[in-house]
Amino acid sequence: MSLTIRNQLTGTVTGITEGAVMGTVLIALPGGQNVTAAVTLDAIKELGLSAGATVEVLIKSTEVSLTTGSVDGLSIRNQLRGTISSLETGGAMTVAHIALESGGELTSAITLAAVTDLGLAEGSSVTALVKSTEVALAAV
């Protein structure tokens, strides 16, 4: 299956916390960083998720925010460290390619004004921020 979602990372489920309707799934990425996905219990069941399962982590590039500063005090669970490997700028928007410290790559679609305000350039250290509700999972 081909998808338009640019960010597709493979990881291993390390834990599931169930609630009344939703649950959180903790996924370890190769290299040591983690991603949390908040999904419905039905989705957890339908995908057959359990500790040790391999999953694809899917994140739209428009849902990836970037910061060059401290991430202390944020409720955003997914804070992935990396370095800007390239910037594709056109008009009002930019696609930032981030080489993750844990391996793999993320893309972030942000405004050109944000790139300018943050002083982003190739080699800039950033933290990619993604709310757990914006992470989709696919069984492998």
Side-chain angles (χ1 to χ4, degrees):
M1 173 189 316
S2 295
L3 299 172
T4 60
I5 297 175
R6 295 180 188 218
N7 297 310
Q8 301 177 28
L9 304 168
T10 303
T12 303
V13 175
T14 57
I16 298 173
T17 303
E18 294 186 0
V21 177
M22 300 280 292
T24 57
V25 180
L26 183 63
I27 302 108
L29 300 177
Q33 295 193 79
N34 294 306
V35 172
T36 299
V39 296
T40 65
L41 294 181
D42 287 342
I44 292 170
K45 197 177 297 183
E46 288 170 13
L47 292 174
L49 299 182
S50 62
T54 300
V55 294
E56 285 292 315
V57 175
L58 308 168
I59 307 167
K60 291 175 59 176
S61 60
T62 53
E63 299 300 335
V64 179
S65 297
L66 300 177
T67 183
T68 57
S70 170
V71 292
D72 295 336
L74 291 179
S75 66
I76 297 174
R77 305 308 326 148
N78 299 306
Q79 303 176 8
L80 302 169
R81 294 172 311 282
T83 303
I84 300 288
S85 57
S86 66
L87 296 169
E88 295 176 40
T89 302
M93 297 297 293
T94 298
V95 174
H97 296 267
I98 302 110
L100 297 176
E101 286 181 5
S102 59
E105 181 180 271
L106 279 181
T107 60
S108 174
I110 57 177
T111 64
L112 180 57
V115 171
T116 302
D117 290 349
L118 292 171
L120 296 181
E122 190 173 314
S124 297
S125 292
V126 295
T127 301
L129 304 169
V130 182
K131 291 182 67 168
S132 59
T133 54
E134 300 306 325
V135 176
L137 300 175
V140 175

